[in-house]
Amino acid sequence: MKECFEYLLNNYLLDNDRHVDSTKEYYHKFVEEARDFVKKIINDNNCIVKGSCGNGNKASIPWLGIFNKKITKSATNGIYICYLFRSDMSGFYLTLCQGITTFENLFKRDKYKYAEKVADYFKQLIDDNNFSKESIDLKDNAPLARGYEKTTVLSKYYEKGN
């Protein structure tokens, strides 16, 4: 998995194509190889592992999510584990986060306020010194990136090259 993540960090921004191309090596390494590696580690039929470099257009924040089917099957709702890569590819976060789409649908322009409230609620319930409860910085001001930042409950940052 380390090799797959390093490849993405080192090569994702070199490809200037704005469209997702499943024939590219970064796509294969991240969306397929890293996903398969995590699936083998988890080895649980109740979990779905999915990677994404975008849907049509290339994402500024590639992600790899682990979803417990009893809670959610996608990144749009519920709470799940997710690797989120910074848009400048300087590193990535291992996070416990929530789907921002639910907050968008329910609260419209107040989505970030309520997403943070729910994240704060979970932060109070979890006592873990190995992960940060501070805000993450994905180095991107796009609404989806801000949503990821606001819905994050716990995180651990991994700097490129470390």
Side-chain angles (χ1 to χ4, degrees), residues 24-82:
K24 301 282 182 158
E25 185 68 14
Y26 72 80
Y27 184 95
H28 173 70
K29 288 272 189 196
F30 186 65
V31 175
E32 296 168 359
E33 281 185 36
R35 176 203 62 207
D36 292 346
F37 184 82
V38 171
K39 277 183 178 180
K40 286 179 188 172
I41 292 171
I42 294 173
N43 193 24
D44 184 340
N45 290 332
N46 288 318
C47 290
I48 298 169
V49 181
K50 181 181 179 191
S52 178
C53 292
N55 206 2
N57 291 325
K58 191 173 166 188
S60 61
I61 312 291
W63 57 266
L64 181 74
I66 304 166
F67 311 101
N68 181 323
K69 291 185 217 176
K70 295 176 184 175
I71 299 169
T72 186
K73 294 180 183 178
S74 77
T76 59
N77 59 53
I79 193 162
Y80 54 93
I81 297 167
C82 193

Side-chain angles (χ1 to χ4, degrees), residues 3 5-14 89 160-161:
E3 177 191 320
F5 282 17
E6 284 177 348
Y7 190 90
L8 188 74
L9 290 168
N10 291 322
N11 295 282
Y12 192 69
L13 295 178
L14 297 177
M89 293 296 128
K160 181 179 182 177

Side-chain angles (χ1 to χ4, degrees), residues 126-143:
I126 300 169
D127 184 25
D128 189 320
N129 295 327
N130 296 311
F131 288 85
S132 173
K133 294 180 182 179
E134 300 299 316
S135 297
I136 65 171
D137 181 5
L138 295 172
K139 305 291 185 191
D140 193 315
N141 291 323

